[in-house]
Amino acid sequence: MKLTKTEDPAGDAAFAAARTTYILGVDVGSTVIRCHVYDKGVALRGSGRKQVEVLHPQTGWVEIDPECLWTQFVEVIKEAVQDAGIQISQVSALGISTQRATFITWNKKSGKPFHNFISWQDVRAAELVKSWNRSFLLKVEQAAKDDNCCFGTIDTWLLYKLTKGAVYATDYSNASTTAFFDPFKLQWSVLLSKLFSIPISLFPPVEDTSHHFGSVDAEIFGVPFPITALVADQQAAMFGECCFDEGDIKITMGTGSFWDINTGSKIHVSRTGLYPLVGWKIGKELTYLAEANASDTGNAIKWAQDLDLFSSAEETSEMANSLVNSGGVCFVPSFSGLQIPVNDPCACTSFMGITPSTTKNHLVRAVLESIAFRNKQLYDTIAREVGIPPTSIWADGGVSKNSFIMQMTSDLINREINKSVITDMSCLGAAFLAGLAVGFWNDKQQLKKLRQTDVVFKPQKEPKEYELAMGNWIKAVKRSLHWYSHT
């Protein structure tokens, strides 16, 4: 006798598996595009990864080819779904996290970009403040007059492409990273629009961070599925770490280091260069962050690896711990200038204090120490300026796997640091926000219960034990300032 579906246990299991749904979180980072497939317990069911092809047409310029990025974006989603062994039809929703303030303009009718993406790492703005880039303006000036030009960040363009031009929008977190958005009035800045002669009509509508933006066009993946979150990278990581309360801090150490503190419903107006950001907006809930960043963290380690100072990043902690100190060697990580509290885009990367007895281990330790010293500077700036007592500190990003940097940072700031099990936190944050929009998860309290800690780094040395080494490093930083001149 032929069994029906209900009489076949294996068939029942297959049927139940087919009905199980998942959330996709995609992070378009500075160097890597990642897509993760999550189930309701936040178990990673599959993943995809593509290296971002970064262009350097001139010194200090950092660009990304839009069409190449789009191809990689689609491929990484397909790769993750295949790795998870599921069907696209089992995807409940997609959340997209993107690197901040990476701009592009494109033709409204054709969707064709007028130029490459200009990355947040690009330092040409140091020259533009003195001499405006007319070549860029002329490419889009006529299109703007004809109302045939769109302007946005990576999320805006990807949403436009995913919906085949049906949806043109961004969210509050991404908008707040552009410097064209007024976080006090929660609207695009009329003043800056007039100052730079950029019509307000070019800017995309701004929606909630967790919001039903539209559906992926069925032709792209075979079936449509909803896009329910757009979020900037650091805000995504903050949400993924469940730093929902005022005073919560997260550190993301990837290509750069980003320290963000939850300032609740209040915007922090900085004196030294902390960025006031919209963390997320979900309905009536509006959360602000204050951010300090250092641009060169993971890329400094990668640079040292490319010089054959070590074979893999996993070796570096052991190499650094094999010495009691760096032998007087200091490294200044400044491939993209130095941000707060130094604020010098013309600072140079340098090694100082090298002697005939200097070894690879000394050089590697100096590189790792420089990251911890920058962490100390950023934490001190936040603690001194924001006026909100820090509560818990959570760390993620690839460099958070480096135990030497994490322990030294904990010692320097004299605080416990929780390292999460998940290091690709921007993917998870995007997935959380997307899942909340479709009821995949109920609320933020449920998300907190899913948070997992890998290691808690507790201070083991007094900060004063590092005073001599950090003092010498600060001298090296001062000698690296104003190295490049922009005239």
Side-chain angles (χ1 to χ4, degrees):
M1 182 177 70
K2 184 178 179 181
L3 293 173
T4 65
K5 184 178 291 289
T6 56
E7 294 171 312
D8 180 1
D12 281 349
F15 182 69
R19 293 186 63 187
T20 303
T21 57
Y22 304 88
I23 294 289
L24 297 185
V26 181
D27 176 35
V28 182
S30 305
T31 55
V32 176
I33 304 175
R34 296 181 178 88
C35 177
H36 289 171
V37 181
Y38 300 100
D39 63 18
K40 287 194 176 182
V42 196
L44 183 61
R45 303 303 293 266
S47 61
R49 184 182 189 276
K50 296 286 181 186
Q51 198 76 20
V52 174
E53 295 185 23
V54 180
L55 308 174
H56 300 277
Q58 294 186 36
T59 302
W61 292 28
V62 186
E63 300 181 357
I64 300 169
D65 182 295
E67 297 299 344
C68 180
L69 185 77
W70 167 247
T71 300
Q72 292 178 313
F73 180 82
V74 172
E75 287 177 350
V76 82
I77 290 177
K78 290 179 178 178
E79 183 181 314
V81 170
Q82 183 178 8
D83 185 52
I86 66 172
Q87 302 296 317
I88 284 286
S89 58
Q90 293 175 259
V91 175
S92 286
L94 167 65
I96 304 171
S97 162
T98 51
Q99 55 177 284
R100 78 247 331 279
T102 297
F103 301 111
I104 193 168
T105 50
W106 68 92
N107 185 289
K108 186 183 291 186
K109 294 177 182 176
S110 68
K112 186 178 170 106
F114 288 113
H115 57 88
N116 286 338
F117 280 113
I118 300 173
S119 171
W120 64 273
Q121 296 170 295
D122 193 289
V123 295
R124 76 185 74 179
E127 297 180 59
L128 291 181
V129 294
K130 295 181 180 179
S131 175
W132 191 250
N133 186 348
R134 297 297 304 171
S135 61
F136 168 77
L137 286 180
L138 289 173
K139 288 181 181 179
V140 299
E141 188 174 20
Q142 189 59 47
K145 288 179 180 178
D146 296 340
D147 192 27
N148 190 29
C149 180
C150 294
F151 170 82
T153 43
I154 287 182
D155 63 297
T156 313
W157 191 70
L158 289 176
L159 178 65
Y160 192 87
K161 294 281 285 184
L162 285 167
T163 59
K164 294 288 185 73
V167 185
Y168 177 49
T170 188
D171 92 294
Y172 286 91
S173 71
N174 276 292
S176 72
T177 68
T178 65
F180 280 102
F181 189 78
D182 186 335
F184 295 93
K185 296 182 178 179
L186 293 179
Q187 63 185 33
W188 296 111
S189 172
V190 175
L191 174 63
L192 291 178
S193 170
K194 291 179 179 178
L195 182 64
F196 292 105
S197 300
I198 300 175
I200 285 287
S201 60
L202 260 63
F203 294 91
V206 184
E207 305 286 357
D208 282 5
T209 310
S210 182
H211 171 79
H212 196 298
F213 287 90
S215 293
V216 176
D217 190 279
E219 289 186 9
I220 299 174
F221 296 107
V223 295
F225 53 92
I227 305 162
T228 55
L230 296 181
V231 59
D233 52 4
Q234 301 311 315
Q235 291 92 321
M238 192 80 168
F239 203 88
E241 291 280 21
C242 298
C243 290
F244 302 141
D245 301 318
E246 188 175 294
D248 284 349
I249 291 177
K250 75 91 190 145
I251 324 160
T252 296
M253 291 186 287
T255 302
S257 291
F258 294 85
W259 285 70
D260 293 83
I261 183 169
N262 186 323
T263 61
S265 58
K266 299 177 183 178
I267 306 175
H268 173 70
V269 181
S270 178
R271 301 184 302 273
T272 59
L274 289 177
Y275 298 131
L277 298 172
V278 175
W280 51 83
K281 185 177 182 300
I282 307 172
K284 294 182 179 180
E285 178 192 352
L286 178 63
T287 298
Y288 289 97
L289 313 178
E291 181 178 275
N293 83 288
S295 292
D296 299 300
T297 302
N299 57 346
I301 295 174
K302 179 64 167 57
W303 172 80
Q305 183 177 359
D306 290 342
L307 289 183
D308 292 328
L309 293 181
F310 51 87
S311 300
S312 66
E314 289 72 24
E315 300 174 46
T316 58
S317 285
E318 185 177 346
M319 293 174 72
N321 281 317
S322 70
L323 304 167
V324 293
N325 55 52
S326 67
V329 179
C330 295
F331 178 73
V332 180
S334 183
F335 294 110
S336 303
L338 289 170
Q339 294 71 46
I340 65 168
V342 181
N343 296 318
D344 181 8
C346 300
C348 70
T349 296
S350 58
F351 269 117
M352 296 187 192
I354 295 175
T355 68
S357 60
T358 298
T359 66
K360 283 187 177 182
N361 287 11
H362 289 112
L363 298 178
V364 168
R365 179 167 176 132
V367 171
L368 302 191
E369 284 185 347
S370 74
I371 295 170
F373 289 147
R374 284 294 281 138
N375 281 340
K376 164 71 169 170
Q377 285 186 321
L378 300 183
Y379 173 82
D380 284 353
T381 302
I382 288 174
R384 179 176 62 251
E385 188 178 304
V386 173
I388 296 174
T391 51
S392 61
I393 302 177
W394 295 80
D396 58 82
V399 180
S400 70
K401 298 176 184 177
N402 190 294
S403 60
F404 179 87
I405 293 173
M406 294 301 298
Q407 185 58 57
M408 186 172 175
T409 300
S410 175
D411 292 345
L412 285 166
I413 68 174
N414 197 31
R415 294 295 303 266
E416 289 188 2
I417 303 175
N418 302 279
K419 179 194 167 296
S420 300
V421 170
I422 298 172
T423 56
D424 297 335
M425 198 55 70
S426 292
C427 281
L428 182 61
F432 275 169
L433 286 157
L436 288 175
V438 295
F440 194 82
W441 292 293
N442 299 324
D443 52 37
K444 292 188 297 182
Q445 290 306 311
Q446 182 184 4
L447 300 183
K448 274 191 174 184
K449 293 176 182 177
L450 296 172
R451 182 168 59 184
Q452 299 177 43
T453 303
D454 180 24
V455 182
V456 177
F457 290 91
K458 299 180 179 181
Q460 295 180 358
K461 295 182 180 179
E462 291 294 325
K464 64 182 181 182
E465 294 186 44
Y466 295 96
E467 284 180 359
L468 177 61
M470 189 163 182
N472 287 335
W473 179 79
I474 289 174
K475 289 180 186 177
V477 169
K478 289 179 178 178
R479 295 191 179 190
S480 300
L481 300 179
H482 316 301
W483 185 265
Y484 302 107
S485 62
H486 293 293
T487 58

